[in-house]
Amino acid sequence: MFFVGNSSFFMVTFDTVWAAEFAPAVSATRRVQAERRTEAFLDITLTVCGEELRQMTPADLLHLDALDNPYVCGAPLADITALDSAAFLWQLAALNDHTPSFANLWRRARFLRRLATTPADAQLTAILDYTGRIFADFPGSSESSTSSESSASSAFAPESKTYFLAPLLVEVASDIGHLDPMSGLLLAHTPLPRLAQYQRTLRERTSTEKDYTELDSLRNRCMDRVNQLNAAARQPQTTADYADYANKTPPTVPLSAESAPSAVKNSDPSPSPHGSI
């Protein structure tokens, strides 16, 4: 208890506020992150619009980029069509063996008929959730797409000297080789979430720069909340309410566990032909 003049108040500590208001949300987020990062090392599919999709690989990203698919090339959401969504989903469909065989063409026709029963808005939302999950561990994945960048900032952006996948593949291959140690496949056919974890591990081992995360932001918000509560407690009319703070139901802290960028190619830093994902 602290005394100011003739009044007294209880000093709320960082640990108290963190445990009451922030810790539950952080724990839930960490569980989601752990599950997502575990999935990256498993040979599993993700259900999107009722269809099973493989985890995207650099080869898939290259193919979609060559087709100018707006989900990876960057485009206003209003410009994305049902055809764009269908092309994206079929490229990653687990049942697509990427051959021109009659059987694969038959599977595609049935796939498109099933997909037609899903509203376009629902397809858009589901695909953005998928891309957000795939690119979540790439640095800068939660930043907004280039559609929100000013013309001035884009004019002074550094020009890429290589194709956008090259830095990612070279960086990972220089440390672990050209084959994925988990599957034995070429890195080009390795899930992007797995490559992102390889890249992060390599950078953490070789870089001295601090990698700021959402947790760092939450710590700052918690400190601001502590200061706010203690400042309010110094007011005589609020001291009584403040004293039993720990017995009150804490407010919900908004915390996004998954960020789904509207255009993944142009987020920072990799992979993207304009600099990053």
Side-chain angles (χ1 to χ4, degrees):
M1 181 180 295
F2 290 79
F3 295 90
V4 177
N6 295 325
S7 62
S8 63
F9 67 94
F10 292 91
M11 176 70 75
V12 170
T13 65
F14 179 92
D15 291 340
T16 301
V17 176
W18 181 266
E21 299 188 20
F22 293 85
V26 171
S27 297
T29 299
R30 284 175 170 168
R31 283 195 299 271
V32 172
Q33 289 177 340
E35 291 173 0
R36 188 191 70 241
R37 289 167 179 167
T38 300
E39 288 175 356
F41 288 90
L42 299 174
D43 186 18
I44 62 174
T45 58
L46 302 176
T47 303
V48 181
C49 298
E51 302 293 337
E52 296 303 311
L53 303 190
R54 297 177 290 101
Q55 297 184 73
M56 188 186 295
T57 67
D60 293 320
L61 188 56
L62 171 62
H63 185 83
L64 291 167
D65 179 48
L67 295 176
D68 289 330
N69 190 280
Y71 284 105
V72 299
C73 290
L77 297 184
D79 293 345
I80 297 178
T81 66
L83 183 60
D84 295 324
S85 298
F88 182 94
L89 294 170
W90 177 244
Q91 169 64 27
L92 296 161
L95 53 79
N96 181 8
D97 62 11
H98 297 277
T99 66
S101 65
F102 175 79
N104 201 44
L105 293 175
W106 179 78
R107 286 192 293 268
R108 184 179 68 176
R110 289 176 58 86
F111 175 90
L112 294 177
R113 282 199 295 270
R114 291 194 302 271
L115 189 61
T117 63
T118 304
D121 288 345
Q123 293 180 28
L124 177 67
T125 300
I127 294 175
L128 291 179
D129 287 343
Y130 171 87
T131 56
R133 192 174 187 86
I134 292 296
F135 294 102
D137 277 329
F138 283 100
S141 62
S142 60
E143 295 178 5
S144 59
S145 67
T146 54
S147 60
S148 62
E149 292 181 358
S150 65
S151 57
S153 62
S154 61
F156 292 98
E159 181 182 0
S160 177
K161 301 298 190 295
T162 61
Y163 188 66
F164 68 98
L165 282 172
L168 170 67
L169 295 176
V170 169
E171 183 175 1
V172 175
S174 64
D175 191 66
I176 67 173
H178 67 288
L179 298 177
D180 176 21
M182 290 293 298
S183 65
L185 297 175
L186 292 170
L187 295 183
H189 300 288
T190 299
L192 283 167
R194 192 181 305 172
L195 292 179
Q197 293 188 62
Y198 291 155
Q199 184 186 54
R200 276 186 175 270
T201 301
L202 178 61
R203 291 185 176 183
E204 288 175 0
R205 193 176 64 194
T206 58
S207 175
T208 58
E209 294 183 2
K210 167 68 176 177
D211 183 17
Y212 290 96
T213 65
E214 189 172 5
L215 185 58
D216 295 302
S217 175
L218 285 176
R219 291 191 182 102
N220 292 335
R221 288 169 56 188
C222 182
M223 197 66 247
D224 291 340
R225 177 67 172 155
V226 170
N227 294 335
Q228 178 187 20
L229 288 169
N230 286 332
R234 294 186 179 93
Q235 305 301 320
Q237 63 272 25
T238 61
T239 302
D241 294 334
Y242 178 83
D244 60 354
Y245 162 79
N247 297 324
K248 294 184 179 181
T249 303
T252 302
V253 177
L255 177 65
S256 61
E258 302 290 336
S259 298
S262 58
V264 297
K265 176 195 286 189
N266 296 314
S267 305
D268 183 67
S270 72
S272 165
H274 305 293
S276 55
I277 285 182

